[in-house]
Amino acid sequence: MAGTQVSDEVAIDDIDQSLINLLREDGRMAFTDMAKQLSIPESTVRYRVQRLLQADVIQIHARLNPKKFAMPHIVTMRFNVERSHIDAVAEALAQLSEVQFVAIVTGHYNIIMDACFGTHEDLLRLFETIHAIPGIIHYDSCTALKLLKSEYQYTVG
Amino acid sequence: MAGTQVSDEVAIDDIDQSLINLLREDGRMAFTDMAKQLSIPESTVRYRVQRLLQADVIQIHARLNPKKFAMPHIVTMRFNVERSHIDAVAEALAQLSEVQFVAIVTGHYNIIMDACFGTHEDLLRLFETIHAIPGIIHYDSCTALKLLKSEYQYTVG
DNA sequence: GAATTTTGCTGCTGTTTTCGCAAATAATAG
DNA sequence: CTATTATTTGCGAAAACAGCAGCAAAATTC
């Protein structure tokens, strides 16, 4: 799992970009709609979109609006890790299912992580799991009290 | 815009939950498919999904896989803000289009924020915008060197 | 540089899906 | 209990889709 960074990059041309932008607004837009808007045949749209999906350049799925729920608990943690363990720790964290975001970063802390879960028991379990990962020198965590925005929609172009 | 937290919550029953879970795996799944899987009529599925979308409980859209690109620059910032300005600053940050995530949190810092952009000029502009927001006492930022995971898929149930 | 394979694009056709409507049913309020 | 509103459901017309096949361009092989 996880690992190789900006490895398998893909060439995205203007058409792909337009398709992506349309699908970013409405993931269920009909192929024929997109075709009309871009003045290209529907079969081409279908071919391109399928290719983008297959190559895992995009995924199309429903996202829950966390504001419409008893908000799940969201926690951010920052880790200071022994240099030689950075990758291993980051990968270990990334494999935990409650973990939503992991990155290796500049600065005093080496790794940042966001996680979200339903109950405090889950959080406790998360801490226990983290304590079992070797190489972590120090970490701190803080809990979200109010979520203002949570999009995580990377743009292209 | 923004603001009222866990305000307008919505009641989600088992059917909604099943539909959401199906759409989380494949946002383009046909209504008839879901109907078959749940053994309910297609028109009901359609009614429910439309309602979920309209009530903004879910959104369906394409997400770019950042690993397949020249990764956009990702920056995390933490802000220490005058108590009376916390909400205002958070809302101001949330309105910036490059900003992906904003939350008010426990701990020494009051607000955390993630943003992502294509070029360093964009980052510079972001900093200028931030400097113009009143109430910020102190902040620090760090840049992602390697992105391990970025899901932000909140689960239900 | 010719032949062959791969890759990408497009039109076509039968099949499936969606859509729009309206009746039936259930839930809620007065 | 009745009026009102919300939800479910079936049905037929219209639209969208899947799959294939044909073609052209690009890449690869010989």
Side-chain angles (χ1 to χ4, degrees):
Chain A
M1 287 283 114
T4 43
Q5 186 173 2
V6 192
S7 55
D8 27 34
E9 277 190 38
V10 179
I12 303 288
D13 68 10
D14 291 348
I15 293 178
D16 291 319
Q17 227 172 87
S18 308
L19 291 173
I20 290 171
N21 285 332
L22 289 175
L23 287 171
R24 290 213 319 143
E25 304 218 343
D26 175 6
R28 286 185 79 88
M29 182 178 289
F31 294 143
T32 45
D33 259 27
M34 305 186 237
K36 253 175 265 168
Q37 292 198 37
L38 304 181
S39 305
I40 53 178
E42 177 265 342
S43 33
T44 303
V45 171
R46 193 146 35 87
Y47 176 80
R48 293 282 194 130
V49 171
Q50 272 172 359
R51 199 173 43 155
L52 289 170
L53 285 168
Q54 219 155 18
D56 194 33
V57 176
I58 59 173
Q59 310 108 351
I60 298 177
H61 40 217
R63 253 176 56 87
L64 270 176
N65 179 349
K67 289 184 189 165
K68 295 286 173 172
F69 290 91
M71 179 174 68
H73 302 280
I74 296 177
V75 166
T76 329
M77 301 177 75
R78 298 173 302 164
F79 297 86
N80 189 239
V81 176
E82 281 172 36
R83 187 171 307 220
S84 60
H85 287 64
I86 293 180
D87 279 296
V89 171
E91 281 168 29
L93 293 173
Q95 272 170 7
L96 305 177
S97 67
E98 303 93 339
V99 170
Q100 305 278 334
F101 181 92
V102 178
I104 295 172
V105 295
T106 60
H108 177 248
Y109 288 94
N110 316 107
I111 299 174
I112 59 174
M113 182 202 91
D114 295 344
C116 107
F117 41 87
T119 69
H120 281 143
E121 282 83 60
D122 296 334
L123 178 56
L124 201 60
R125 233 193 327 278
L126 182 69
F127 275 109
E128 282 162 9
T129 313
I130 286 169
H131 290 148
I133 299 174
I136 297 174
I137 297 166
H138 170 73
Y139 69 84
D140 70 25
S141 70
C142 66
T143 304
L145 299 172
K146 178 174 173 178
L147 182 63
L148 280 285
K149 188 175 192 175
S150 171
E151 302 222 325
Y152 282 94
Q153 291 267 86
Y154 304 99
T155 6
V156 63
Chain B
M1 289 282 113
T4 44
Q5 186 171 1
V6 191
S7 55
D8 27 34
E9 278 190 37
V10 180
I12 303 288
D13 68 10
D14 291 350
I15 294 179
D16 291 319
Q17 224 171 90
S18 308
L19 291 172
I20 291 171
N21 286 331
L22 289 174
L23 287 170
R24 290 213 319 142
E25 304 217 342
D26 175 5
R28 286 186 79 86
M29 181 177 290
F31 294 144
T32 46
D33 258 27
M34 304 186 239
K36 254 176 265 169
Q37 293 198 36
L38 305 181
S39 305
I40 53 178
E42 175 265 341
S43 27
T44 303
V45 171
R46 191 148 35 91
Y47 178 80
R48 295 279 194 132
V49 171
Q50 270 170 1
R51 197 176 44 155
L52 289 170
L53 286 168
Q54 218 154 18
D56 194 35
V57 176
I58 58 173
Q59 310 108 350
I60 299 177
H61 39 216
R63 253 176 58 85
L64 270 176
N65 180 349
K67 290 185 187 161
K68 294 286 174 171
F69 289 90
M71 179 175 68
H73 302 281
I74 296 177
V75 166
T76 328
M77 301 178 74
R78 298 174 302 163
F79 297 86
N80 189 239
V81 176
E82 283 173 35
R83 189 169 305 218
S84 59
H85 287 64
I86 292 180
D87 279 294
V89 171
E91 279 168 30
L93 292 173
Q95 271 169 9
L96 305 177
S97 67
E98 304 93 339
V99 170
Q100 306 278 333
F101 181 92
V102 178
I104 295 173
V105 295
T106 61
H108 178 247
Y109 288 92
N110 316 107
I111 298 173
I112 59 175
M113 182 203 91
D114 295 344
C116 109
F117 41 86
T119 70
H120 280 144
E121 282 84 59
D122 297 331
L123 178 56
L124 201 58
R125 232 192 329 277
L126 182 68
F127 275 109
E128 282 162 9
T129 313
I130 285 169
H131 290 148
I133 299 174
I136 297 174
I137 298 167
H138 170 73
Y139 69 84
D140 71 25
S141 70
C142 66
T143 304
L145 298 172
K146 178 174 173 178
L147 182 63
L148 279 284
K149 188 175 193 175
S150 171
E151 302 221 325
Y152 282 94
Q153 291 268 85
Y154 304 98
T155 5
V156 63

